[in-house]
Amino acid sequence: MSKQKQKAFTLIELLVVIAIIGILATLAVVALQQARQNARDSKRMADMKQLQTALELFFNENGRYPTTEEWNSGSIVSSSTGETFMYSIPSAPTPADGDCLEASNTYTYIPQDNGASYTIDFCTGKQVSDLPAGVLCLTPGGMKVCDDQTGGESVATYSVVYNSNSATGGTVPDSQIKTQDIDLILQTNSGGLFKTGFIFAGWNTLSDGSGVGYSPGSNYTENNALVLYAVWCEDSVVGKSPDSQVYGVVSGSNATCWLDRNLGAIRVATAYNDSQSYGYVYQWGRSSDGHQIRTSGSTSTLSSTDNPGHSNFILAPGYAYDWRNPQNNSLWQGESGINNPCPSGWRVPTKAELENEIISWSNSGNRLIDAFNSSLKWPSAGLRSSNDGNFYNLGSYVSVWSSDVDGGIDSQVMIVNSSNAFCSIGHRAGGLSVRCIKD
């Protein structure tokens, strides 16, 4: 009996079949991806229509559109009746599509014209109806290409949102949009935010003030979205015992808070050579043991401890020009540092913080006047010499200690005369002014 030969696929036929299956699978994946992208764009458009309806209902009842704080609550609720127009403000679907960047794939709400208008930025991956792909804007008049967009191309933008940080009253400035690689001038306290018992110092990236600080109206250069919190500092503070004087508080550069005068000063300077604003003169690292008083006696006996146990100004005309032998580089380091002469919660500033103040000054051609015209009203209090205990440069030099050591035998000091303003090194036994900064 003969056996019949069974036919099978040839190798070429198998390869053709596999290729066809691969092509069909690829087409299916591409179609699925396009369907998902179209679905995300459809959701973005639907979200905008729902938001527009909710915002118009809010406007009809309140005569304005929501503030930034009301929007940031996560829902759209009438401020007059409590009626909810949108229980949960939607977020943009992810990931970003087309040429949209992740930074643009957000719903960024910007109130405008004191609540009379608004824009919401969003980004679509493909053309939808007559709107091109890219960054678009929802306005009370409908959806359109944003004013800073051309040809439907996506330009990265970043939202800057302001938070009152427990203010007692006033209104938060409108949010802003920063465009990629273009500096943004930050808002001032245009809404008159205030907090009873405190001063407004500026903005910070963290609510506790430990982040990056920005002065009102300063430039923001980073390409990042951020929330800026109002910085509040108590408006007065009592000196550290035995100093019972009450000091005012003023704001410095980068949203920092400073005492309004040098330690021991009777008043805030009324002129750069106002002698009643000069204050005490401290030897670097010493506590308020009485040596800082301008009429204190002097001694040539160096101290071997952090607290000499007397109130005399210690002369040190020879190397290493320090009142303490051996030297101690750990003095005055931070709010809890050894011998910190500043009130609780305050400290001696760093070199960098003093240099930031110098940078913020205007330049009139006379640096003593520039220092006085700044918000800190620096007086030209001169210095007390570690050689003989006498005073020099009264009315012609600003000499202020920092907490920084220079790695050698000296410490860093801010020096200002009529021609120059800079930080340099100073002998630790010299008597210089101290101005405290909030920790």
Side-chain angles (χ1 to χ4, degrees):
M1 187 175 191
S2 62
K3 292 183 180 179
Q4 286 188 338
K5 217 172 177 187
Q6 295 191 4
K7 292 186 178 181
F9 288 108
T10 65
L11 178 60
I12 294 176
E13 290 172 332
L14 286 172
L15 292 175
V16 170
V17 170
I18 292 171
I20 293 172
I21 293 174
I23 293 171
L24 292 175
T26 301
L27 292 174
V29 170
V30 171
L32 178 60
Q33 289 177 339
Q34 290 178 342
R36 288 177 173 174
Q37 176 176 320
N38 292 338
R40 287 191 291 268
D41 279 344
S42 295
K43 183 182 185 305
R44 293 179 182 110
M45 301 301 286
D47 287 345
M48 290 302 110
K49 292 177 181 178
Q50 292 174 4
L51 284 167
Q52 185 179 32
T53 299
L55 290 170
E56 290 308 313
L57 291 172
F58 183 99
F59 183 88
N60 290 339
E61 190 160 297
N62 298 275
R64 62 174 178 81
Y65 292 104
T67 64
T68 300
E69 283 189 330
E70 289 170 333
W71 173 272
N72 290 340
S73 70
S75 58
I76 300 177
V77 181
S78 172
S79 60
S80 57
T81 66
E83 182 179 357
T84 301
F85 302 119
M86 179 172 279
Y87 285 95
S88 180
I89 295 174
S91 299
T94 56
D97 293 305
D99 292 331
C100 297
L101 302 176
E102 287 299 329
S104 302
N105 190 38
T106 58
Y107 297 160
T108 305
Y109 175 79
I110 306 294
Q112 297 178 344
D113 301 329
N114 295 319
S117 186
Y118 69 87
T119 60
I120 299 178
D121 292 356
F122 64 105
C123 193
T124 58
K126 287 189 173 182
Q127 179 173 334
V128 181
S129 298
D130 59 344
L131 293 171
V135 178
L136 303 173
C137 290
L138 173 68
T139 70
M143 287 176 272
K144 65 174 186 176
V145 177
C146 296
D147 292 338
D148 60 351
Q149 307 301 318
T150 58
E153 297 179 356
S154 176
V155 176
T157 59
Y158 310 90
S159 61
V160 178
V161 180
Y162 297 86
N163 186 295
S164 67
N165 204 11
S166 303
T168 306
T171 57
V172 178
D174 288 344
S175 299
Q176 296 174 287
I177 292 294
K178 183 189 182 300
T179 303
Q180 177 91 12
D181 297 331
I182 298 177
D183 290 357
L184 175 70
I185 298 176
L186 297 176
Q187 299 277 33
T188 61
N189 187 15
S190 56
L193 287 174
F194 66 90
K195 184 176 182 180
T196 304
F198 293 77
I199 69 161
F200 173 78
W203 309 104
N204 196 283
T205 55
L206 295 177
S207 60
D208 63 0
S210 62
V212 180
Y214 293 93
S215 299
S218 60
N219 278 356
Y220 177 56
T221 61
E222 301 296 322
N223 291 320
N224 292 302
L226 77 165
V227 176
L228 290 177
Y229 298 86
V231 176
W232 302 106
C233 293
E234 59 266 50
D235 57 14
S236 63
V237 62
V238 178
K240 187 174 186 177
S241 181
D243 182 8
S244 59
Q245 181 165 301
V246 177
Y247 295 89
V249 177
V250 294
S251 61
S253 65
N254 300 332
T256 50
C257 295
W258 297 72
L259 297 187
D260 64 352
R261 69 198 77 176
N262 294 343
L263 285 181
I266 297 174
R267 66 187 184 194
V268 176
T270 59
Y272 73 83
N273 56 357
D274 176 13
S275 62
Q276 295 190 65
S277 67
Y278 289 168
Y280 297 143
V281 283
Y282 283 83
Q283 296 184 296
W284 188 91
R286 280 188 76 172
S287 64
S288 300
D289 56 13
H291 83 283
Q292 75 278 6
I293 298 173
R294 288 181 173 251
T295 56
S296 65
S298 62
T299 178
S300 297
T301 302
L302 301 183
S303 176
S304 61
T305 65
D306 296 334
N307 294 290
H310 59 75
S311 60
N312 289 322
F313 188 86
I314 298 176
L315 303 178
Y319 187 87
Y321 311 104
D322 196 342
W323 57 272
R324 193 190 191 288
N325 185 25
Q327 291 187 293
N328 185 357
N329 290 343
S330 299
L331 305 177
W332 279 9
Q333 300 304 298
E335 190 270 338
S336 59
I338 301 169
N339 289 348
N340 176 25
C342 297
S344 177
W346 297 69
R347 58 176 172 78
V348 179
T350 63
K351 173 190 174 184
E353 288 164 339
L354 290 170
E355 288 178 328
N356 285 338
E357 293 306 312
I358 294 174
I359 292 171
S360 71
W361 301 345
S362 59
N363 193 337
S364 67
N366 186 325
R367 301 305 273 162
L368 293 175
I369 293 176
D370 298 337
F372 168 72
N373 285 337
S374 73
S375 61
L376 273 63
K377 298 291 181 185
W378 298 99
S380 305
L383 58 86
R384 190 173 185 181
S385 171
S386 60
N387 291 325
D388 55 23
N390 292 327
F391 286 88
Y392 295 90
N393 302 319
L394 297 176
S396 61
Y397 264 72
V398 178
S399 304
V400 182
W401 281 123
S402 81
S403 61
D404 289 357
V405 297
D406 72 335
I409 62 173
D410 297 316
S411 292
Q412 292 288 335
V413 56
M414 181 179 79
I415 298 173
V416 184
N417 56 36
S418 60
S419 302
N420 298 292
F422 56 95
C423 284
S424 185
I425 58 175
H427 299 328
R428 298 181 188 180
L432 278 63
S433 302
V434 169
R435 181 74 68 96
C436 300
I437 188 172
K438 179 72 174 176
D439 192 39

